[in-house]
Amino acid sequence: MKSLPPDVVPGTCTLSWSEREFPDWQTQGKVTAPRVLLAKLAASRDIAAVNQYLLEAVPWSGAGSNWLLFEGDYDFSLVTLTTLLYLFGNDPMRLYPETLQHLLDVLLTEEGDTPLVTAPFTFGLILDTENHHLMTEGSRYLKNQWLRAYGSPEERANPAYNNATNGLGDWLSEYLDILIHEGIYEFNSDPYCGYTLQALLNLEAFPESTVIRRKARYLLDIMNLEYAVGSLDLRRNPPFRRRYEKSDSTALNDDPHTAYMDVWLRLHRGGNGTGEEPPHYSGHGLLAELLPYRLPKDVASCTLEKQAHYFARLGRGPSACPELYSGGPGYL
């Protein structure tokens, strides 16, 4: 399984997040706390304190959408804790064995063969949203894979953890096919597309299945190509989606996708991710630094410079208006 190479130099976002104080797990365990822990381990900072923090942590809610009858959103924690598991689970100097066991037994709550397709306590009537599906089921898939490879003899023999035969691998592969053929539903969604990207980064990095990795990579490439044709010098204000309070924003950099692209472009230029921290959503920049996905050269080039005039129509389904972009050298 993957582990962070010892010669990797932590980038700007990683170092910045590693310097933060430990947040309260119950109130900031959704996004901030797991990322602080991830950054500290990557920067080899406060190792003993990180392990103690994790050993004392318990799930603060359940996976799936949060709504009136259910306290959810724990999958936002799961997706980062899964990254932490795969980067440091084989590094006992950073993630202690007892901490690893607590992570598997207590904090990574989703395992087995049954995906959580509908929102909890909706009696199977309401589909959960795309980012929840990817975060929850990607984390379930990867925990199964870990237990199958490194678990106890009983866990390694448990058919519920065999993604190749338990149905979960097929479900996830078919789900990715839907996204490939029909497009990302939560496109341009601020902030949710950032979590879709994060879940896909895990699925591009860690599965043993080359099919799952290839499909996740394809989706990342497509999303980033769409960013490239609809932006100029990391300035972008795409059509509004999902959060009504963001519908009148005119900012050109208040976009989770931009934080990823900022880091990937620095790495494309031959750097190690160092430079100014993205002004918004720097936690996503942390993930771009630590996970292995990198931009295709043509996508990076198109993002940095428009070398020829173009007109692009991005289809968004048979009943939806497409996004239209035109651009050329120095102008979008």
Side-chain angles (χ1 to χ4, degrees):
M1 300 293 181
K2 278 188 178 292
S3 182
L4 191 68
D7 57 346
V8 167
V9 178
T12 298
C13 295
T14 303
L15 292 173
S16 175
W17 276 73
S18 75
E19 294 170 354
R20 296 191 181 197
E21 297 295 325
F22 287 96
D24 177 70
W25 178 253
Q26 290 301 315
T27 59
Q28 298 186 66
K30 179 176 178 178
V31 174
T32 302
R35 291 182 178 179
V36 169
L37 302 175
L38 179 66
K40 285 181 180 292
L41 290 183
S44 297
R45 181 190 295 269
D46 302 327
I47 298 297
V50 169
N51 280 270
Q52 186 61 39
Y53 185 103
L54 281 168
L55 283 169
E56 294 174 358
V58 295
W60 52 270
S61 66
S65 285
N66 184 56
W67 65 293
L68 181 63
L69 298 181
F70 180 72
E71 183 181 3
D73 284 354
Y74 186 67
D75 37 306
F76 287 87
S77 300
L78 287 175
V79 69
T80 303
L81 292 174
T82 298
T83 304
L84 188 150
L85 168 68
Y86 272 82
L87 289 184
F88 306 111
N90 281 327
D91 185 353
M93 298 300 292
R94 281 192 267 197
L95 191 66
Y96 301 162
E98 61 272 25
T99 311
L100 171 62
Q101 199 60 49
H102 181 76
L103 185 65
L104 291 166
D105 291 345
V106 178
L107 293 175
L108 292 174
T109 56
E110 305 307 305
E111 61 182 52
D113 55 5
T114 305
L116 183 63
V117 178
T118 57
F121 292 94
T122 61
F123 307 101
L125 298 176
I126 299 177
L127 284 175
D128 217 327
T129 57
E130 186 175 77
N131 70 90
H132 283 287
H133 284 155
L134 288 169
M135 290 190 295
T136 302
E137 301 316 318
S139 299
R140 185 194 310 277
Y141 180 95
L142 290 170
K143 180 182 177 181
N144 285 349
Q145 178 178 280
W146 186 277
L147 293 176
R148 181 81 175 168
Y150 299 117
S152 67
E154 293 76 19
E155 288 168 335
R156 293 198 298 272
N158 190 337
Y161 300 143
N162 188 343
N163 292 322
T165 60
N166 65 7
L168 182 65
D170 290 339
W171 182 91
L172 185 57
S173 181
E174 290 169 6
Y175 191 86
L176 295 175
D177 280 337
I178 292 171
L179 301 186
I180 289 170
H181 295 135
E182 299 183 7
I184 297 291
Y185 181 74
E186 293 177 301
F187 65 91
N188 298 340
S189 179
D190 186 356
Y192 300 108
C193 84
Y195 299 105
T196 294
L197 286 164
Q198 180 178 358
L200 289 172
L201 286 173
N202 275 355
L203 291 174
E204 193 272 341
F206 303 126
E208 295 172 350
S209 167
T210 57
V211 173
I212 296 292
R213 292 203 314 272
R214 184 175 68 247
K215 290 178 180 181
R217 171 83 199 200
Y218 182 85
L219 284 164
L220 288 165
D221 288 348
I222 288 296
M223 293 177 72
N224 291 330
L225 177 61
E226 291 173 349
Y227 181 99
V229 300
S231 66
L232 182 66
D233 296 331
L234 292 174
R235 298 193 300 274
R236 179 175 184 253
N237 191 336
F240 152 73
R241 194 160 177 83
R242 278 289 309 258
R243 293 290 290 271
Y244 290 115
E245 65 268 29
K246 295 178 179 287
S247 62
D248 58 354
S249 172
T250 58
L252 295 177
N253 61 1
D254 185 16
D255 177 356
H257 203 154
T258 296
Y260 287 103
M261 295 296 286
D262 188 343
V263 171
W264 286 330
L265 288 173
R266 277 186 256 145
L267 293 165
H268 170 76
R269 292 178 175 121
N272 58 9
T274 58
E276 292 188 12
E277 193 173 359
H280 301 282
Y281 294 107
S282 64
H284 291 307
L286 161 73
L287 300 165
E289 289 175 0
L290 294 180
L291 287 160
Y293 174 87
R294 297 293 179 257
L295 290 175
K297 292 181 180 179
D298 289 346
V299 173
S301 297
C302 180
T303 309
L304 291 168
E305 183 181 4
K306 315 304 180 188
Q307 297 182 353
H309 292 282
Y310 64 86
F311 174 84
R313 181 176 64 184
L314 308 181
R316 294 303 183 185
S319 60
C321 179
E323 288 182 69
L324 304 175
Y325 293 103
S326 63
Y331 175 75
L332 178 72

